[in-house]
């Protein structure tokens, strides 16, 4: 059991620590979107390697893009042509 004002001191210390914790995203919209896309690309690559390791993907298609990536690449290419 705490004595005296120790409980109050600990509570104040905990509140100060919680207030100093990062609570908000500091990236701009485009930076945030880029970081999300980078993380998604890394996860897709990990999943592809995992499926390749389990033999779920034939080796012929190992370096091919997934259909979603192909669609994004096509849309990006179409956007650049405009």
């Amino acid at each position: 059991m705490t004595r005296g004002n120790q409980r109050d001191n600990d509570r104040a210390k905990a509140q100060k620590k919680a207030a100093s914790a990062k609570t908000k995203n500091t990236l701009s919209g485009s930076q945030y979107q880029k970081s999300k896309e980078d993380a998604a690309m890394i996860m897709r690559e990990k999943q592809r390697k995992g499926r390749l390791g389990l033999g779920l993907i034939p080796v012929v298609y190992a370096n091919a893009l997934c259909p979603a990536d192909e669609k994004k690449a096509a849309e990006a290419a179409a956007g650049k042509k405009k």
Side-chain angles (χ1 to χ4, degrees):
M1 184 169 189
T2 58
R3 292 180 285 156
N5 64 350
Q6 188 65 38
R7 180 181 297 163
D8 294 333
N9 290 344
D10 287 343
R11 185 175 293 133
K13 185 178 177 182
Q15 287 175 345
K16 183 179 177 182
K17 185 177 180 182
S20 68
K22 183 177 177 183
T23 58
K24 197 172 182 183
N25 181 12
T26 58
L27 298 175
S28 70
S30 59
Q31 290 173 331
Y32 183 68
Q33 183 66 27
K34 173 110 173 77
S35 69
K36 286 182 71 167
E37 289 174 0
D38 290 344
M41 186 184 324
I42 291 169
M43 289 306 297
R44 281 193 295 271
E45 182 65 21
K46 285 183 178 180
Q47 290 170 346
R48 185 187 68 79
K49 285 182 180 179
R51 289 191 307 264
L52 185 64
L54 293 174
L56 298 177
I57 299 177
V59 176
V60 175
Y61 300 112
N63 292 326
L65 295 174
C66 72
D69 289 339
E70 290 176 358
K71 183 178 177 183
K72 283 184 181 180
E75 289 174 355
K80 289 180 181 178
K81 289 180 182 178
K82 290 183 179 180

